[in-house]
């Protein structure tokens, strides 16, 4: 299985605990760099409740040790690791794996079978 990683931005361009939006593989993605752990998370930018692309503007925090983002529209909180809505277990955001390579944030956009 060949993985396709897309280079998105320099890690230093992401302000800790603030969201940023990016177009990755044709999809709007919200990016978050956490100040306490240094982890970077990528989730849907589209709020499933309001259907507006606003998640990157959400408030970063935590709930019981789980890193979260709260939608700026209706304040539902989402687990940044899994995308699961903590206020409505039937709803979730898509999550993309991230990695940092040579100071650049990369997002896994697909995995392909066979040779590259």
């Amino acid at each position: 299985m060949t993985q396709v990683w897309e280079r998105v931005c320099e890690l230093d361009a992401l302000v800790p605990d603030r969201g940023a939006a990016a177009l990755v593989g044709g999809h709007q993605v919200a990016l978050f760099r956490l100040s306490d752990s240094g982890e970077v998370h990528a989730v849907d930018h589209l709020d499933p409740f309001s259907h507006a692309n606003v998640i990157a503007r959400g408030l970063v925090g935590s709930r019981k040790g789980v890193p979260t983002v709260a939608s700026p529209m209706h304040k539902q909180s989402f687990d940044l690791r899994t995308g699961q809505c903590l206020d409505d277990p039937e709803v979730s955001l898509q999550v993309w794996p991230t990695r940092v390579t040579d100071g650049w944030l990369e997002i896994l956009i697909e995995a392909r079978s066979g040779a590259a």
Side-chain angles (χ1 to χ4, degrees):
M1 183 83 55
T2 302
Q3 296 182 333
V4 178
W5 291 87
E6 184 169 323
R7 186 173 272 193
V8 179
C9 65
E10 290 186 75
L11 180 62
D12 290 343
L14 296 176
V15 177
D17 298 329
R18 301 291 288 264
L23 189 60
V24 180
H27 197 89
Q28 290 193 38
V29 176
L31 308 171
F32 298 94
R33 178 181 176 191
L34 305 181
S35 63
D36 60 346
S37 66
E39 293 175 350
V40 179
H41 298 277
V43 298
D44 272 327
H45 187 40
L46 183 70
D47 179 342
F49 294 96
S50 69
H51 303 288
N53 286 305
V54 295
I55 294 297
R57 296 182 189 170
L59 182 64
V60 174
S62 66
R63 190 184 290 180
K64 297 182 181 177
V66 173
T68 61
V69 61
S71 169
M73 298 298 286
H74 301 293
K75 310 302 184 239
Q76 289 91 352
S77 289
F78 297 88
D79 182 334
L80 285 172
R81 299 171 304 179
T82 66
Q84 183 67 47
C85 179
L86 302 177
D87 302 306
D88 184 343
E90 308 239 343
V91 178
S92 63
L93 301 173
Q94 182 174 344
V95 174
W96 286 267
T98 64
R99 71 181 184 189
V100 176
T101 304
D102 297 326
W104 285 82
L105 171 63
E106 297 178 336
I107 295 178
L108 181 64
I109 57 171
E110 63 182 86
R112 295 184 184 145
S113 296

